[in-house]
């Protein structure tokens, strides 16, 4: 990128920034190079895009720890739009970058009081609380947020992560169940819900975990984690005091799951031996799979 900057006109730089905005690409270091070399002295030529470019530079400057540049751009926008909640959000982000978290929270509180339907400052508030290690407060704020924005899938994911960090597995499972209502055909959501249920333990949760692992495998037959989880769940059930029919069914399902696992690991081995995939990443993956599955024996599942 740096080798082409000297040859760029201001219009080329403007068009490139516009393309990155349209494609939702940050490219913070490249944005700062274009700003320093071309656009900072050509602001008057940007026309209607000037404010959009300044916002783009603010985000890039914060990403690159260019605090002075971010402050300069925020001050320009603040002078032109003194009452803008959007500019106030950028001021709070600048304060956050300076680690003045209490001041940033005050700015966000002001935005929320003026516009209760604005989701962005509520999310920033949760992020700051999480950064400070105030997990309980972050959970409380995020719960209040989800009561208003119930269809925010990212919010449910984050709330699940916070609950898992606190060991609140039942509440984390509830969050994943909410996500299933929005996206019932995601094998990853089924798999994660199954992981949580398996971690909770108890025969009822193991049964539920088995159900979701089965669904995950049905949606994506290449999901090795779900296959391994299914094998473990069936091992628990076949060794439990469940009725004979259920134990036999679990044993057959465990044998099928292990056969699928072994088939996929053997296919990976064959591909490596034939030279189809020689990357270090694939070799590390194969070693990890062998370590995870090599000591397992379906015959250990009792009748």
């Amino acid at each position: 990128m740096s080798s082409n900057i000297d040859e760029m006109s201001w219009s080329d730089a403007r068009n490139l920034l516009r393309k990155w905005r349209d494609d939702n690409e940050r490219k913070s270091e490249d944005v700062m190079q274009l700003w320093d070399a071309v656009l900072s002295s050509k602001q008057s030529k940007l026309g209607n895009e000037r404010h959009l470019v300044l916002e783009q530079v603010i985000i890039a400057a914060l990403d690159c720890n260019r605090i002075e540049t971010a402050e300069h751009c925020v001050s320009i926008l603040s002078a032109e739009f003194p009452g803008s909640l959007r500019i106030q959000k950028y001021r709070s982000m600048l304060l956050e970058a300076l680690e003045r978290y209490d001041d940033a929270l005050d700015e966000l509180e002001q935005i929320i009081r003026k516009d209760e339907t604005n989701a962005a400052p509520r999310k920033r508030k949760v992020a700051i609380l999480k950064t400070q290690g105030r997990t309980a407060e972050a959970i409380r704020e995020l719960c209040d947020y989800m009561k208003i924005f119930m269809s925010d899938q990212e919010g449910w994911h984050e709330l699940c992560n916070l609950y898992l960090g606190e060991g609140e597995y039942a509440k984390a499972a509830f969050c994943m169940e909410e996500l299933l209502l929005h996206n019932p055909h995601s094998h990853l959501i089924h798999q994660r819900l199954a992981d949580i249920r398996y971690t909770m333990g108890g025969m009822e949760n193991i049964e539920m975990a088995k159900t979701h692992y089965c669904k995950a495998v049905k949606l994506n037959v290449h999901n090795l984690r779900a296959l391994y989880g299914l094998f473990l769940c069936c091992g628990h059930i076949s060794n439990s005091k469940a009725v004979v029919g259920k134990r036999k069914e679990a044993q057959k399902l465990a044998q099928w799951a292990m056969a699928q696992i072994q088939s996929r690991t053997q296919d990976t081995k064959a591909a490596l031996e034939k030279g189809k995939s020689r990357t270090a990443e694939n070799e590390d993956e194969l070693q990890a799979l062998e370590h995870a599955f090599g000591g397992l024996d379906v015959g250990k599942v009792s009748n």
Side-chain angles (χ1 to χ4, degrees):
M1 180 67 194
S2 58
S3 60
N4 299 326
I5 287 180
D6 295 335
E7 303 173 3
M8 277 191 175
S9 65
W10 70 268
S11 59
D12 292 334
R14 178 200 60 189
N15 294 336
L16 187 55
L17 290 185
R18 181 193 301 159
K19 181 180 183 301
W20 290 340
R21 288 197 306 272
D22 293 340
D23 295 341
N24 199 27
E25 294 183 84
R26 291 175 81 114
K27 292 187 177 291
S28 299
E29 293 183 357
D30 293 337
V31 169
M32 293 311 302
Q33 289 180 18
L34 288 175
W35 175 256
D36 292 335
V38 183
L39 293 177
S40 61
S41 59
K42 301 290 192 303
Q43 293 184 45
S44 59
K45 294 185 177 182
L46 295 174
N48 295 332
E49 291 189 47
R50 176 169 166 268
H51 302 119
L52 293 175
V53 169
L54 285 172
E55 290 180 330
Q56 193 172 3
V57 172
I58 290 172
I59 300 298
L62 292 175
D63 286 344
C64 298
N65 198 29
R66 295 276 300 274
I67 303 300
E68 292 183 0
T69 303
E71 287 178 334
H72 174 67
C73 294
V74 168
S75 64
I76 293 175
L77 292 174
S78 297
E80 296 187 28
F81 306 98
S84 171
L85 297 181
R86 185 163 173 169
I87 306 307
Q88 195 170 357
K89 182 191 73 173
Y90 289 126
R91 282 203 299 269
S92 71
M93 294 172 65
L94 180 58
L95 291 169
E96 187 180 346
L98 294 170
E99 297 186 0
R100 294 168 54 185
Y101 297 121
D102 292 337
D103 294 335
L105 288 172
D106 290 339
E107 289 279 353
L108 294 172
E109 283 290 352
Q110 293 177 26
I111 299 174
I112 294 171
R113 282 197 296 268
K114 294 176 183 177
D115 183 6
E116 295 183 355
T117 62
N118 194 336
R122 294 177 182 272
K123 286 186 173 182
R124 292 306 318 164
K125 188 175 180 181
V126 172
I128 292 174
L129 293 172
K130 183 179 177 182
T131 300
Q132 292 181 292
R134 297 156 63 180
T135 307
E137 295 178 55
I139 289 174
R140 184 167 60 251
E141 287 291 337
L142 191 50
C143 285
D144 292 340
Y145 169 84
M146 296 311 303
K147 291 176 183 177
I148 302 172
F149 304 95
M150 297 181 183
S151 60
D152 189 337
Q153 297 186 43
E154 290 182 354
W156 287 116
H157 273 294
E158 182 60 32
L159 187 56
C160 177
N161 289 334
L162 290 174
Y163 277 135
L164 288 175
E166 294 296 298
E168 297 278 359
Y169 296 112
K171 294 179 180 179
F174 173 82
C175 295
M176 297 310 298
E177 288 167 354
E178 287 290 331
L179 280 168
L180 274 181
L181 295 177
H182 295 286
N183 196 355
H185 301 297
S186 170
H187 69 98
L188 294 175
I189 295 176
H190 280 284
Q191 172 203 299
R192 195 172 194 205
L193 178 54
D195 289 343
I196 294 170
R197 289 292 181 185
Y198 181 84
T199 304
M200 292 172 69
M203 189 49 57
E204 182 179 355
N205 285 314
I206 294 295
E207 288 277 5
M208 295 178 69
K210 179 177 77 72
T211 300
H212 287 291
Y213 279 132
C214 285
K215 187 65 176 179
V217 172
K218 182 178 180 181
L219 292 169
N220 182 7
V221 295
H222 302 293
N223 190 331
L224 278 173
R225 185 185 181 99
L227 285 168
Y228 182 44
L230 179 59
F231 174 80
L232 293 177
C233 287
C234 291
H236 277 283
I237 295 171
S238 61
N239 287 315
S240 69
K241 296 180 181 179
V243 296
V244 176
K246 185 176 289 188
R247 293 205 305 270
K248 288 184 177 180
E249 178 186 356
Q251 184 178 12
K252 290 180 181 179
L253 192 54
Q255 292 172 343
W256 176 84
M258 182 49 64
Q260 296 297 312
I261 291 168
Q262 291 174 339
S263 173
R264 279 155 181 73
T265 53
Q266 287 171 0
D267 290 343
T268 305
K269 280 184 178 180
L272 287 171
E273 290 172 357
K274 292 179 181 179
K276 293 181 180 178
S277 179
R278 290 288 183 181
T279 64
E281 181 180 351
N282 285 339
E283 291 178 356
D284 291 342
E285 180 182 358
L286 178 59
Q287 291 175 2
L289 290 172
E290 288 179 339
H291 179 73
F293 303 131
L296 295 175
D297 184 0
V298 177
K300 293 179 181 177
V301 182
S302 64
N303 296 325

